[in-house]
Amino acid sequence: MFAKRLAQVSVSATLKVAAEAERLRRDGYDVVDFSAGEPDFPTPEHVKAAGKAAIDANFTRYTAASGTPELRQAICSRYAQDCGIDVTPAEVLVTVGGKQALFNAGMALFDPGDEVITHAPYWPTIPEQVKLMGAVPVIVSTRSEDGFAVHADAVIAAISPKTKAIVLNSPGNPTGALIDEGTVAAIADVAAARGIWIIVDLCYERLIYEPVPHNLPKVLFDRHRDRTVIAGSASKAYAMTGWRCGWTIAPKDLTSAFNVIQGQSTSNISSITQKAALAALGGSQDAVTAMLDEYRVRRDNIHAWLTAHPGIRCVKPRGAFYLFPDISRLLSPDGVASSADFAQGLLEKEHVVVTPGEGFDAPGYIRISYATSMEQLREGATRILRFAESLQPAKATASH
Ligand SMILES: Cc1ncc(COP(=O)(O)O)c(C=O)c1O
């Protein structure tokens, strides 16, 4: 009865978890929720003020579908300042979050049967959007033993004559891993020679903890500018998830194609949001640094607390705000047999909400969002450790 394209596409695993948590909360339980994929901080004051001022000034009408010229210019200026790249407003289109940025790219580039390479563990929307377009996701696995590093040779080996694009996400959700500049350069060189598009999801680009080289826009612009799409977002850096603002930076002709898609679907994003995003991108960046500093302290604490248990191994995330521990040592075939069972048991026994790794193509792991208060992190860690202990008390005490 519904269109065939829907047959392949799955519902978000995170939404399922959130619904269960909501049910427990309604039943009066003290739930610790580590499922949020969004900052817990309020939107910075000057950004909110710009949104309010936009309403008061009656800036409440349609804008150009691609976004106001001033916001597109502010995006260019931000990348000029942060990455040293020279982007013109004709290469920028403002979207309903990074999600629509990726969606527009898929709509404009993927034909049924095309192959699109990406890496796992992944943010599920990436392969699901590929399927929505009738294209085929080709997944390159990464391993926690290796810090979830994406290796250029593995990506290049996955290329076939049907490969249309490679989608990279760094910092990555759910692992917090970064892709090295050298890796992106090596992939870009091959992609350039083979006419393959690179779409890079940089929605967490401002949330990197240590000062490591990670100027992927510059690496791609230097090598492969005519077939690069940058998908960016105001959501995570500026605590603006509900405002819905992202963008693409892409060659002019592709940006015109995005404009056609958006002009015939959503049109412009909220005019009010555009004024707020202008303040976010163009104003002081102190709030971004303050939030990052707080995430870093939380990361260090939750990582130390959980890895104190011998059954929990965890790579320290280098960006974003998720911990992705390997809990496979706590599983047993005759008890809690999978990370999905683990998440379910943790929810039922300890009322802690985590997202099981299955949804990210990573069974044996759970995702913990530390975009929540230190008190909640402490309490949640205590409950997780208690639950872990209840699964394998012998193993845990033996190694102490
Ligand atoms: C990896 C990744 N890319 C893109 C997005 C899109 O976010 P938004 O549409 O709010 O910009 C998310 C949101 O969770 C994400 O985790």
mmCIF file of all heavy atoms in Angstrom, residues 330-371:
data_model
loop_
_atom_site.group_PDB
_atom_site.id
_atom_site.type_symbol
_atom_site.label_atom_id
_atom_site.label_comp_id
_atom_site.label_asym_id
_atom_site.label_seq_id
_atom_site.Cartn_x
_atom_site.Cartn_y
_atom_site.Cartn_z
ATOM 1 N N LEU A 330 30.504 -8.882 29.454
ATOM 2 C CA LEU A 330 29.476 -9.089 30.488
ATOM 3 C C LEU A 330 28.333 -9.963 29.985
ATOM 4 O O LEU A 330 27.419 -10.286 30.739
ATOM 5 C CB LEU A 330 28.914 -7.727 30.931
ATOM 6 C CG LEU A 330 29.919 -6.776 31.572
ATOM 7 C CD1 LEU A 330 29.330 -5.388 31.746
ATOM 8 C CD2 LEU A 330 30.370 -7.332 32.925
ATOM 9 N N LEU A 331 28.386 -10.320 28.706
ATOM 10 C CA LEU A 331 27.274 -11.081 28.117
ATOM 11 C C LEU A 331 27.544 -12.575 28.226
ATOM 12 O O LEU A 331 28.695 -13.011 28.227
ATOM 13 C CB LEU A 331 27.088 -10.682 26.651
ATOM 14 C CG LEU A 331 26.942 -9.177 26.381
ATOM 15 C CD1 LEU A 331 26.846 -8.902 24.882
ATOM 16 C CD2 LEU A 331 25.711 -8.610 27.095
ATOM 17 N N SER A 332 26.460 -13.343 28.312
ATOM 18 C CA SER A 332 26.617 -14.802 28.282
ATOM 19 C C SER A 332 25.404 -15.401 27.574
ATOM 20 O O SER A 332 24.291 -14.887 27.720
ATOM 21 C CB SER A 332 26.749 -15.365 29.689
ATOM 22 O OG SER A 332 25.641 -14.970 30.458
ATOM 23 N N PRO A 333 25.622 -16.482 26.815
ATOM 24 C CA PRO A 333 24.553 -17.011 25.969
ATOM 25 C C PRO A 333 23.313 -17.425 26.754
ATOM 26 O O PRO A 333 22.200 -17.325 26.256
ATOM 27 C CB PRO A 333 25.188 -18.240 25.307
ATOM 28 C CG PRO A 333 26.616 -18.241 25.686
ATOM 29 C CD PRO A 333 26.868 -17.218 26.728
ATOM 30 N N ASP A 334 23.494 -17.837 28.012
ATOM 31 C CA ASP A 334 22.329 -18.312 28.765
ATOM 32 C C ASP A 334 21.744 -17.235 29.684
ATOM 33 O O ASP A 334 20.844 -17.510 30.467
ATOM 34 C CB ASP A 334 22.719 -19.557 29.590
ATOM 35 C CG ASP A 334 24.034 -19.359 30.322
ATOM 36 O OD1 ASP A 334 24.722 -18.345 30.046
ATOM 37 O OD2 ASP A 334 24.385 -20.198 31.185
ATOM 38 N N GLY A 335 22.230 -16.022 29.604
ATOM 39 C CA GLY A 335 21.670 -14.961 30.450
ATOM 40 C C GLY A 335 21.387 -13.733 29.606
ATOM 41 O O GLY A 335 20.597 -13.776 28.659
ATOM 42 N N VAL A 336 22.066 -12.651 29.946
ATOM 43 C CA VAL A 336 21.961 -11.433 29.139
ATOM 44 C C VAL A 336 22.879 -11.653 27.935
ATOM 45 O O VAL A 336 24.099 -11.590 28.041
ATOM 46 C CB VAL A 336 22.370 -10.212 29.995
ATOM 47 C CG1 VAL A 336 22.526 -8.973 29.153
ATOM 48 C CG2 VAL A 336 21.339 -9.985 31.093
ATOM 49 N N ALA A 337 22.268 -11.947 26.796
ATOM 50 C CA ALA A 337 23.048 -12.489 25.679
ATOM 51 C C ALA A 337 23.507 -11.450 24.661
ATOM 52 O O ALA A 337 24.406 -11.714 23.868
ATOM 53 C CB ALA A 337 22.228 -13.564 24.978
ATOM 54 N N SER A 338 22.885 -10.277 24.662
ATOM 55 C CA SER A 338 23.234 -9.277 23.647
ATOM 56 C C SER A 338 23.220 -7.891 24.285
ATOM 57 O O SER A 338 22.700 -7.709 25.401
ATOM 58 C CB SER A 338 22.199 -9.303 22.521
ATOM 59 O OG SER A 338 20.943 -8.886 23.043
ATOM 60 N N SER A 339 23.760 -6.910 23.551
ATOM 61 C CA SER A 339 23.716 -5.551 24.101
ATOM 62 C C SER A 339 22.280 -5.035 24.160
ATOM 63 O O SER A 339 21.945 -4.219 25.018
ATOM 64 C CB SER A 339 24.640 -4.612 23.330
ATOM 65 O OG SER A 339 24.622 -4.851 21.954
ATOM 66 N N ALA A 340 21.421 -5.536 23.274
ATOM 67 C CA ALA A 340 19.999 -5.151 23.345
ATOM 68 C C ALA A 340 19.389 -5.679 24.644
ATOM 69 O O ALA A 340 18.660 -4.960 25.340
ATOM 70 C CB ALA A 340 19.251 -5.695 22.134
ATOM 71 N N ASP A 341 19.728 -6.935 25.018
ATOM 72 C CA ASP A 341 19.255 -7.498 26.298
ATOM 73 C C ASP A 341 19.827 -6.689 27.465
ATOM 74 O O ASP A 341 19.152 -6.454 28.463
ATOM 75 C CB ASP A 341 19.746 -8.950 26.492
ATOM 76 C CG ASP A 341 19.043 -9.917 25.568
ATOM 77 O OD1 ASP A 341 18.089 -9.510 24.890
ATOM 78 O OD2 ASP A 341 19.478 -11.105 25.531
ATOM 79 N N PHE A 342 21.087 -6.334 27.334
ATOM 80 C CA PHE A 342 21.759 -5.574 28.402
ATOM 81 C C PHE A 342 21.016 -4.251 28.629
ATOM 82 O O PHE A 342 20.680 -3.893 29.764
ATOM 83 C CB PHE A 342 23.216 -5.308 28.001
ATOM 84 C CG PHE A 342 24.043 -4.624 29.057
ATOM 85 C CD1 PHE A 342 24.835 -5.358 29.931
ATOM 86 C CD2 PHE A 342 24.047 -3.236 29.167
ATOM 87 C CE1 PHE A 342 25.600 -4.727 30.904
ATOM 88 C CE2 PHE A 342 24.802 -2.599 30.136
ATOM 89 C CZ PHE A 342 25.595 -3.340 31.009
ATOM 90 N N ALA A 343 20.733 -3.535 27.532
ATOM 91 C CA ALA A 343 20.053 -2.239 27.651
ATOM 92 C C ALA A 343 18.657 -2.433 28.255
ATOM 93 O O ALA A 343 18.218 -1.634 29.094
ATOM 94 C CB ALA A 343 19.958 -1.572 26.285
ATOM 95 N N GLN A 344 17.987 -3.497 27.845
ATOM 96 C CA GLN A 344 16.646 -3.765 28.346
ATOM 97 C C GLN A 344 16.686 -4.094 29.848
ATOM 98 O O GLN A 344 15.892 -3.560 30.636
ATOM 99 C CB GLN A 344 16.032 -4.934 27.547
ATOM 100 C CG GLN A 344 14.562 -5.191 27.834
ATOM 101 C CD GLN A 344 13.680 -3.999 27.469
ATOM 102 O OE1 GLN A 344 13.972 -3.288 26.501
ATOM 103 N NE2 GLN A 344 12.636 -3.759 28.256
ATOM 104 N N GLY A 345 17.654 -4.935 30.243
ATOM 105 C CA GLY A 345 17.800 -5.310 31.653
ATOM 106 C C GLY A 345 18.152 -4.102 32.517
ATOM 107 O O GLY A 345 17.617 -3.919 33.616
ATOM 108 N N LEU A 346 19.042 -3.278 31.995
ATOM 109 C CA LEU A 346 19.460 -2.065 32.712
ATOM 110 C C LEU A 346 18.267 -1.125 32.912
ATOM 111 O O LEU A 346 18.108 -0.511 33.971
ATOM 112 C CB LEU A 346 20.556 -1.376 31.883
ATOM 113 C CG LEU A 346 21.328 -0.228 32.487
ATOM 114 C CD1 LEU A 346 22.060 -0.643 33.758
ATOM 115 C CD2 LEU A 346 22.331 0.313 31.468
ATOM 116 N N LEU A 347 17.438 -1.054 31.920
ATOM 117 C CA LEU A 347 16.247 -0.204 32.001
ATOM 118 C C LEU A 347 15.274 -0.759 33.047
ATOM 119 O O LEU A 347 14.781 -0.026 33.905
ATOM 120 C CB LEU A 347 15.578 -0.159 30.618
ATOM 121 C CG LEU A 347 14.402 0.797 30.455
ATOM 122 C CD1 LEU A 347 14.866 2.236 30.578
ATOM 123 C CD2 LEU A 347 13.741 0.598 29.097
ATOM 124 N N GLU A 348 15.044 -2.070 32.973
ATOM 125 C CA GLU A 348 14.051 -2.668 33.875
ATOM 126 C C GLU A 348 14.533 -2.720 35.324
ATOM 127 O O GLU A 348 13.797 -2.404 36.240
ATOM 128 C CB GLU A 348 13.708 -4.093 33.405
ATOM 129 C CG GLU A 348 12.765 -4.082 32.219
ATOM 130 C CD GLU A 348 12.689 -5.427 31.533
ATOM 131 O OE1 GLU A 348 13.184 -6.424 32.104
ATOM 132 O OE2 GLU A 348 12.135 -5.473 30.417
ATOM 133 N N LYS A 349 15.811 -3.083 35.516
ATOM 134 C CA LYS A 349 16.305 -3.276 36.895
ATOM 135 C C LYS A 349 16.800 -1.986 37.536
ATOM 136 O O LYS A 349 16.619 -1.776 38.726
ATOM 137 C CB LYS A 349 17.455 -4.297 36.896
ATOM 138 C CG LYS A 349 17.021 -5.703 36.524
ATOM 139 C CD LYS A 349 17.788 -6.719 37.376
ATOM 140 C CE LYS A 349 17.293 -8.131 37.182
ATOM 141 N NZ LYS A 349 17.824 -8.781 35.974
ATOM 142 N N GLU A 350 17.469 -1.156 36.751
ATOM 143 C CA GLU A 350 18.108 0.034 37.341
ATOM 144 C C GLU A 350 17.537 1.343 36.807
ATOM 145 O O GLU A 350 17.973 2.416 37.201
ATOM 146 C CB GLU A 350 19.628 -0.008 37.080
ATOM 147 C CG GLU A 350 20.345 -1.176 37.737
ATOM 148 C CD GLU A 350 20.513 -0.979 39.255
ATOM 149 O OE1 GLU A 350 20.142 0.086 39.784
ATOM 150 O OE2 GLU A 350 21.028 -1.919 39.900
ATOM 151 N N HIS A 351 16.621 1.258 35.865
ATOM 152 C CA HIS A 351 15.978 2.444 35.283
ATOM 153 C C HIS A 351 16.982 3.416 34.676
ATOM 154 O O HIS A 351 16.864 4.634 34.817
ATOM 155 C CB HIS A 351 15.082 3.152 36.319
ATOM 156 C CG HIS A 351 14.166 2.200 37.018
ATOM 157 N ND1 HIS A 351 14.045 2.113 38.372
ATOM 158 C CD2 HIS A 351 13.365 1.228 36.516
ATOM 159 C CE1 HIS A 351 13.199 1.144 38.687
ATOM 160 N NE2 HIS A 351 12.772 0.587 37.571
ATOM 161 N N VAL A 352 17.981 2.844 34.024
ATOM 162 C CA VAL A 352 18.957 3.648 33.295
ATOM 163 C C VAL A 352 18.738 3.401 31.800
ATOM 164 O O VAL A 352 18.660 2.249 31.367
ATOM 165 C CB VAL A 352 20.416 3.249 33.654
ATOM 166 C CG1 VAL A 352 21.418 4.035 32.810
ATOM 167 C CG2 VAL A 352 20.670 3.482 35.135
ATOM 168 N N VAL A 353 18.642 4.500 31.052
ATOM 169 C CA VAL A 353 18.388 4.378 29.618
ATOM 170 C C VAL A 353 19.677 4.568 28.833
ATOM 171 O O VAL A 353 20.320 5.615 28.929
ATOM 172 C CB VAL A 353 17.378 5.454 29.135
ATOM 173 C CG1 VAL A 353 16.947 5.167 27.705
ATOM 174 C CG2 VAL A 353 16.180 5.527 30.052
ATOM 175 N N VAL A 354 20.077 3.544 28.093
ATOM 176 C CA VAL A 354 21.214 3.644 27.167
ATOM 177 C C VAL A 354 20.735 3.120 25.820
ATOM 178 O O VAL A 354 19.699 2.458 25.750
ATOM 179 C CB VAL A 354 22.440 2.821 27.641
ATOM 180 C CG1 VAL A 354 22.952 3.314 28.980
ATOM 181 C CG2 VAL A 354 22.120 1.330 27.696
ATOM 182 N N THR A 355 21.476 3.414 24.769
ATOM 183 C CA THR A 355 21.062 2.928 23.454
ATOM 184 C C THR A 355 21.921 1.714 23.086
ATOM 185 O O THR A 355 23.156 1.813 23.095
ATOM 186 C CB THR A 355 21.248 4.040 22.397
ATOM 187 O OG1 THR A 355 20.717 5.249 22.940
ATOM 188 C CG2 THR A 355 20.517 3.701 21.111
ATOM 189 N N PRO A 356 21.299 0.585 22.797
ATOM 190 C CA PRO A 356 22.094 -0.597 22.467
ATOM 191 C C PRO A 356 22.825 -0.448 21.137
ATOM 192 O O PRO A 356 22.329 0.206 20.209
ATOM 193 C CB PRO A 356 21.065 -1.728 22.412
ATOM 194 C CG PRO A 356 19.733 -1.077 22.286
ATOM 195 C CD PRO A 356 19.859 0.324 22.817
ATOM 196 N N GLY A 357 23.999 -1.071 21.051
ATOM 197 C CA GLY A 357 24.854 -0.925 19.866
ATOM 198 C C GLY A 357 24.257 -1.474 18.582
ATOM 199 O O GLY A 357 24.657 -1.053 17.488
ATOM 200 N N GLU A 358 23.299 -2.391 18.694
ATOM 201 C CA GLU A 358 22.728 -3.008 17.486
ATOM 202 C C GLU A 358 22.289 -1.961 16.462
ATOM 203 O O GLU A 358 22.474 -2.134 15.263
ATOM 204 C CB GLU A 358 21.515 -3.888 17.863
ATOM 205 C CG GLU A 358 21.883 -5.264 18.416
ATOM 206 C CD GLU A 358 22.245 -5.268 19.902
ATOM 207 O OE1 GLU A 358 22.392 -4.188 20.492
ATOM 208 O OE2 GLU A 358 22.404 -6.366 20.466
ATOM 209 N N GLY A 359 21.694 -0.867 16.955
ATOM 210 C CA GLY A 359 21.186 0.179 16.059
ATOM 211 C C GLY A 359 22.283 0.901 15.298
ATOM 212 O O GLY A 359 22.017 1.576 14.306
ATOM 213 N N PHE A 360 23.517 0.786 15.786
ATOM 214 C CA PHE A 360 24.650 1.468 15.134
ATOM 215 C C PHE A 360 25.523 0.471 14.376
ATOM 216 O O PHE A 360 26.673 0.763 14.062
ATOM 217 C CB PHE A 360 25.504 2.183 16.184
ATOM 218 C CG PHE A 360 24.741 3.068 17.128
ATOM 219 C CD1 PHE A 360 24.442 2.659 18.418
ATOM 220 C CD2 PHE A 360 24.323 4.328 16.734
ATOM 221 C CE1 PHE A 360 23.742 3.470 19.299
ATOM 222 C CE2 PHE A 360 23.629 5.160 17.606
ATOM 223 C CZ PHE A 360 23.332 4.729 18.890
ATOM 224 N N ASP A 361 24.989 -0.731 14.161
ATOM 225 C CA ASP A 361 25.733 -1.814 13.536
ATOM 226 C C ASP A 361 26.938 -2.203 14.399
ATOM 227 O O ASP A 361 28.031 -2.452 13.895
ATOM 228 C CB ASP A 361 26.200 -1.407 12.118
ATOM 229 C CG ASP A 361 26.595 -2.631 11.287
ATOM 230 O OD1 ASP A 361 26.255 -3.753 11.686
ATOM 231 O OD2 ASP A 361 27.250 -2.451 10.240
ATOM 232 N N ALA A 362 26.718 -2.232 15.712
ATOM 233 C CA ALA A 362 27.809 -2.563 16.627
ATOM 234 C C ALA A 362 27.273 -3.347 17.822
ATOM 235 O O ALA A 362 27.250 -2.839 18.945
ATOM 236 C CB ALA A 362 28.507 -1.284 17.085
ATOM 237 N N PRO A 363 26.832 -4.581 17.612
ATOM 238 C CA PRO A 363 26.381 -5.376 18.741
ATOM 239 C C PRO A 363 27.512 -5.574 19.736
ATOM 240 O O PRO A 363 28.680 -5.648 19.346
ATOM 241 C CB PRO A 363 25.947 -6.710 18.108
ATOM 242 C CG PRO A 363 26.472 -6.706 16.720
ATOM 243 C CD PRO A 363 26.729 -5.293 16.332
ATOM 244 N N GLY A 364 27.161 -5.636 21.031
ATOM 245 C CA GLY A 364 28.183 -5.800 22.062
ATOM 246 C C GLY A 364 28.585 -4.479 22.701
ATOM 247 O O GLY A 364 29.353 -4.457 23.653
ATOM 248 N N TYR A 365 28.035 -3.388 22.180
ATOM 249 C CA TYR A 365 28.348 -2.057 22.716
ATOM 250 C C TYR A 365 27.061 -1.376 23.187
ATOM 251 O O TYR A 365 25.968 -1.768 22.779
ATOM 252 C CB TYR A 365 28.972 -1.170 21.632
ATOM 253 C CG TYR A 365 30.323 -1.647 21.151
ATOM 254 C CD1 TYR A 365 30.423 -2.676 20.223
ATOM 255 C CD2 TYR A 365 31.491 -1.071 21.636
ATOM 256 C CE1 TYR A 365 31.663 -3.130 19.787
ATOM 257 C CE2 TYR A 365 32.732 -1.512 21.200
ATOM 258 C CZ TYR A 365 32.821 -2.532 20.275
ATOM 259 O OH TYR A 365 34.037 -2.967 19.848
ATOM 260 N N ILE A 366 27.226 -0.364 24.019
ATOM 261 C CA ILE A 366 26.091 0.509 24.325
ATOM 262 C C ILE A 366 26.549 1.953 24.146
ATOM 263 O O ILE A 366 27.734 2.259 24.315
ATOM 264 C CB ILE A 366 25.563 0.304 25.773
ATOM 265 C CG1 ILE A 366 26.688 0.455 26.811
ATOM 266 C CG2 ILE A 366 24.853 -1.050 25.899
ATOM 267 C CD1 ILE A 366 26.206 0.484 28.259
ATOM 268 N N ARG A 367 25.598 2.811 23.799
ATOM 269 C CA ARG A 367 25.945 4.235 23.683
ATOM 270 C C ARG A 367 25.394 4.990 24.881
ATOM 271 O O ARG A 367 24.231 4.862 25.222
ATOM 272 C CB ARG A 367 25.377 4.848 22.405
ATOM 273 C CG ARG A 367 25.950 6.239 22.154
ATOM 274 C CD ARG A 367 25.246 6.985 21.033
ATOM 275 N NE ARG A 367 23.948 7.477 21.453
ATOM 276 C CZ ARG A 367 23.187 8.293 20.724
ATOM 277 N NH1 ARG A 367 23.587 8.678 19.532
ATOM 278 N NH2 ARG A 367 22.022 8.689 21.179
ATOM 279 N N ILE A 368 26.300 5.751 25.492
ATOM 280 C CA ILE A 368 25.945 6.574 26.649
ATOM 281 C C ILE A 368 26.175 8.029 26.265
ATOM 282 O O ILE A 368 27.295 8.415 25.932
ATOM 283 C CB ILE A 368 26.836 6.211 27.858
ATOM 284 C CG1 ILE A 368 26.474 4.791 28.329
ATOM 285 C CG2 ILE A 368 26.706 7.228 28.972
ATOM 286 C CD1 ILE A 368 27.422 4.243 29.361
ATOM 287 N N SER A 369 25.123 8.819 26.299
ATOM 288 C CA SER A 369 25.306 10.237 26.024
ATOM 289 C C SER A 369 25.661 10.924 27.340
ATOM 290 O O SER A 369 24.948 10.771 28.327
ATOM 291 C CB SER A 369 24.015 10.832 25.460
ATOM 292 O OG SER A 369 24.053 12.236 25.582
ATOM 293 N N TYR A 370 26.780 11.651 27.357
ATOM 294 C CA TYR A 370 27.114 12.383 28.579
ATOM 295 C C TYR A 370 26.725 13.854 28.484
ATOM 296 O O TYR A 370 27.233 14.698 29.224
ATOM 297 C CB TYR A 370 28.568 12.178 29.022
ATOM 298 C CG TYR A 370 29.647 12.352 27.985
ATOM 299 C CD1 TYR A 370 30.231 13.592 27.762
ATOM 300 C CD2 TYR A 370 30.111 11.270 27.255
ATOM 301 C CE1 TYR A 370 31.244 13.756 26.834
ATOM 302 C CE2 TYR A 370 31.126 11.419 26.318
ATOM 303 C CZ TYR A 370 31.675 12.660 26.110
ATOM 304 O OH TYR A 370 32.673 12.823 25.177
ATOM 305 N N ALA A 371 25.776 14.133 27.609
ATOM 306 C CA ALA A 371 25.188 15.473 27.568
ATOM 307 C C ALA A 371 24.106 15.552 28.647
ATOM 308 O O ALA A 371 22.920 15.751 28.371
ATOM 309 C CB ALA A 371 24.613 15.755 26.188
#
